[in-house]
Amino acid sequence: MNHSNKNLPGRPRSTQSHQAILQTTLDLLAEVGYDRMSIEAIATRAGVGKPTIYRRYQSKAELVADAIESRREEYVIPDTGSLWGDIEALITSAAQITFNPLGRQTVAMMIGSATSNPEFAQVYWIKYLQPRRQAFAVVYERAKARHEIPSDLDPDLVFDVISGLMLYALVFPEGTKAWETSIRQTTQLLLQGAKAPSVSNESQ
Amino acid sequence: MNHSNKNLPGRPRSTQSHQAILQTTLDLLAEVGYDRMSIEAIATRAGVGKPTIYRRYQSKAELVADAIESRREEYVIPDTGSLWGDIEALITSAAQITFNPLGRQTVAMMIGSATSNPEFAQVYWIKYLQPRRQAFAVVYERAKARHEIPSDLDPDLVFDVISGLMLYALVFPEGTKAWETSIRQTTQLLLQGAKAPSVSNESQ
Amino acid sequence: MNHSNKNLPGRPRSTQSHQAILQTTLDLLAEVGYDRMSIEAIATRAGVGKPTIYRRYQSKAELVADAIESRREEYVIPDTGSLWGDIEALITSAAQITFNPLGRQTVAMMIGSATSNPEFAQVYWIKYLQPRRQAFAVVYERAKARHEIPSDLDPDLVFDVISGLMLYALVFPEGTKAWETSIRQTTQLLLQGAKAPSVSNESQ
Amino acid sequence: MNHSNKNLPGRPRSTQSHQAILQTTLDLLAEVGYDRMSIEAIATRAGVGKPTIYRRYQSKAELVADAIESRREEYVIPDTGSLWGDIEALITSAAQITFNPLGRQTVAMMIGSATSNPEFAQVYWIKYLQPRRQAFAVVYERAKARHEIPSDLDPDLVFDVISGLMLYALVFPEGTKAWETSIRQTTQLLLQGAKAPSVSNESQ
DNA sequence: CGGTAAGCGAGACGGTACGTCGCGTCTTAAG
DNA sequence: CTTAAGACGCGACGTACCGTCTCGCTTACCG
């Protein structure tokens, strides 16, 4: 992304400052949340001048996006040998990332600025959801090859339903305590439904 | 909730100012969004002093919550005679409320403060989602009585899946253009799945 | 000034409230000073509604003026038998009234609003200084009759010099610690100077 | 007082803004007076942000004090060759500074906050009165050297009497129209009194 | 003796200014 | 040419009082 071996004139940007900025951003995000987190506070706590931040990022959203991105680990497609094993792995991975202070704040922030900064949710979509969606497609294909499941079901749809449920559970915890159970149940029903003879939907 | 016929001392609060505040809040929410909307601007446009707003609400969130709540219409359970007709009505109603500037901002705001102001999402849950969830249960029971659908399916689960998908579609429009189709398809699969012979899930 | 025995219709004004207002005004004036004293605070502490104050007084200045005036005692011209005895009595009386918290605040307030509310200093002049100035004239005449002092000196001038010195001492305490001594000395010099053969002032 | 050639980090404070603030403060002080002058108005008219003012001064009093101080000219001790000539020069100089809108407001403000901000009157004493008091002492010594006046009179006392009279005249204009005449007369009497044989003060 | 007119406390009203915080930009000297 | 530091103009924050108003309730005179 940055061709750091270019012979640019002048003092190079401090890697140390850069790391301090990103770490402090994540710390503050987890501590006080996106809204209550000020660039001023990040600069002060990181021991960095404000312009040093603004030179790198145009907005708080951009900074936070990069901070989160910087800590993202490479996602490995699970391969446990069975469909349900893989699905459990996917759910567990998603839950670990999502259901902790930083994760909650991240999602909250992403969602909160979905309308005001649409490109922001887009980043989340491309960087985070898309890879998992594709991983699920792979998992699904493998299960199909093992004849575990029917072939006429769109894995993307299943993935979106699962993601939607997790998002829903994140936003409304009081209505959906047993969200993991709901996800398993729903996935099962979808797979069965695809196998069963079609039910006519007369309104369509 | 309040018996309102109490003989409180002092000048009563102006209903006119109150209405002006709520209306202006909704106008500005739709126009510029939650973050960019200042109490100062609301007060000025509503022709009201700032303290008049702060006397009623402790925070912007509280004000906006009440403004939205004040415009909520009574929800009527659909009864078209067929399950799919009722479902379409539910979807259409939800879409009308959600997929417009004010609706998007409302949901964005509710979700955005889900972690910082959890009681806020709770209000949304109780006032808005719960009634629709219960309405769906009624619709489902009626369909069951008409032998349109199997009996061993939890209507709440179906509702949550649908809601989750809509929320997902609202937040990530780029990934889910055809969300209405997805919802119909998913609902159909769930209903079929419930009818079909169970698929064993060995990991459970 | 007010023909209080008029048969006005309606409920008469509460003497109790009136006294509470005046007393609280003086208390607060001494405690926090004129500037930091708010009508709101007076009303609250006096257990009185704001309109009850505004019905009586048009401004804070007016209220304070009346509060001070209400506590003014009748001034009695001293008559100790000797000029210096009388002068000491005058000085002591003035000092008692002026050099205490309420007195300092009163004078400060009078002076502070001398330019913005000139009529205010005028009240002070008429109600407080004028009587003492006239009293001094009487004292002076009596001393002249006793042949203690020369006749060709204007007692008003002497009084003004004394008053000026006290005012000066009140405002600049650091420069004029021994103001009582200064006053005695000055008075003595003026009396002597009036007796002595005139010094020519060529510039006049 | 500050050696100003210190190498402080960060952007130095804008001299331009500083001057604009001081000038606008004096303008508004003369126009509307101390009480009616708001920091908000100063900031707006000076084309400056409020924090820029609050960064420099903790209170309105402090700001005004510095604004006045900034325009103070160096005082030159008069030397006309005769005592009365010098005295006239002193009086004229004092009158010019004091008896105009800005001067009146200045003194009013200084005096008004004499009790609430005692250090404020102190500044006035040190910066303004003390130099003139010392100047008068010099003038007096020169006159004594010319054998114009007796030696056993404290020039500070004379100065204080004159200052007190001017202050008195400023506060109570209605009682002391001919204050210049009073001052000349008083000064003359004091000088004569010092020459004359002492009058016994029996009460002491 | 009942009507009525003013005063009462309480407290909300539209405002103005307060003093603070954070914004995103700028201007320094130092590296 | 970047850095840390920090001032800048700006705008919104939430609070304190301003002086006015509107309540429901006395209170006391007057017909």
Side-chain angles (χ1 to χ4, degrees), chain D residues 69-88:
Chain D
E69 169 60 18
S70 76
R71 293 300 181 275
R72 198 173 55 81
E73 302 157 21
E74 199 55 39
Y75 180 66
V76 181
I77 301 174
D79 191 2
T80 61
S82 83
L83 175 64
W84 282 105
D86 292 351
I87 287 176
E88 286 298 323

Side-chain angles (χ1 to χ4, degrees), chain A residues 10-11 14 17 51-52 55-56:
Chain A
R11 177 177 176 175
S14 157
S17 293
T52 302
R55 208 170 288 119
R56 291 163 161 77

Side-chain angles (χ1 to χ4, degrees), chain B residues 7-12 37-41 50-51 54 60:
Chain B
N7 287 339
L8 293 168
R11 177 177 176 175
M37 174 181 63
S38 72
I39 302 245
E40 195 112 30
K50 269 195 293 178
Y54 282 110
K60 191 161 69 165

Side-chain angles (χ1 to χ4, degrees), chain D:
Chain D
M1 197 155 277
N2 61 342
H3 301 263
S4 79
N5 51 356
K6 283 221 186 110
N7 287 339
L8 294 167
R11 176 177 178 177
R13 292 191 176 167
S14 157
T15 329
Q16 196 174 317
S17 294
H18 202 100
Q19 288 309 313
I21 290 167
L22 294 180
Q23 188 54 54
T24 308
T25 300
L26 291 176
D27 291 352
L28 279 174
L29 182 60
E31 276 176 41
V32 304
Y34 183 75
D35 283 348
R36 281 195 277 271
M37 174 181 65
S38 73
I39 302 246
E40 195 112 30
I42 296 172
T44 304
R45 172 121 54 123
V48 146
K50 269 196 291 178
T52 301
I53 295 179
Y54 283 109
R55 211 172 284 123
R56 291 163 163 75
Y57 305 102
Q58 291 202 341
S59 66
K60 191 160 70 164
E62 214 178 282
L63 161 59
V64 172
D66 192 53
I68 290 161
E69 169 60 18
S70 76
R71 293 300 181 275
R72 198 173 55 81
E73 302 157 21
E74 199 55 39
Y75 180 66
V76 181
I77 301 174
D79 191 2
T80 61
S82 83
L83 175 64
W84 282 105
D86 292 351
I87 287 176
E88 286 298 323
L90 281 165
I91 293 174
T92 307
S93 152
Q96 270 173 0
I97 292 168
T98 314
F99 289 86
N100 63 31
L102 181 56
R104 297 188 80 92
Q105 294 288 359
T106 304
V107 174
M109 187 254 314
M110 296 260 175
I111 295 171
S113 58
T115 33
S116 51
N117 302 59
E119 81 287 355
F120 202 39
Q122 201 171 345
V123 166
Y124 192 70
W125 173 261
I126 292 167
K127 290 282 172 63
Y128 182 82
L129 283 173
Q130 195 119 284
R132 279 166 173 75
R133 210 189 198 204
Q134 283 163 357
F136 185 75
V138 170
V139 159
Y140 188 88
E141 287 306 315
R142 283 201 292 249
K144 212 161 65 180
R146 287 193 299 266
H147 308 292
E148 288 189 71
I149 44 177
S151 60
D152 56 345
L153 185 56
D154 181 7
D156 283 356
L157 181 68
V158 180
F159 180 84
D160 290 348
V161 166
I162 292 174
S163 298
L165 264 177
M166 287 190 68
L167 183 57
Y168 191 67
L170 198 64
V171 175
F172 305 108
E174 56 285 288
T176 52
K177 305 281 181 197
W179 63 271
E180 294 199 46
T181 308
S182 296
I183 285 177
R184 288 195 197 91
Q185 221 175 321
T186 304
T187 315
Q188 216 167 351
L189 284 167
L190 289 177
L191 296 177
Q192 280 171 212
K195 260 193 238 176
S198 149
V199 169
S200 72
N201 171 354
E202 284 138 24
S203 78
Q204 285 187 295

Side-chain angles (χ1 to χ4, degrees), chain C residues 99-113:
Chain C
F99 288 86
N100 62 32
L102 181 55
R104 296 187 81 92
Q105 292 289 1
T106 305
V107 174
M109 183 254 316
M110 297 260 176
I111 296 171
S113 57

Side-chain angles (χ1 to χ4, degrees), chain C residues 147-168:
Chain C
H147 307 293
E148 286 190 71
I149 45 176
S151 59
D152 57 345
L153 185 58
D154 181 7
D156 283 355
L157 181 68
V158 180
F159 181 84
D160 291 348
V161 166
I162 292 173
S163 298
L165 264 178
M166 287 189 68
L167 183 58
Y168 191 67

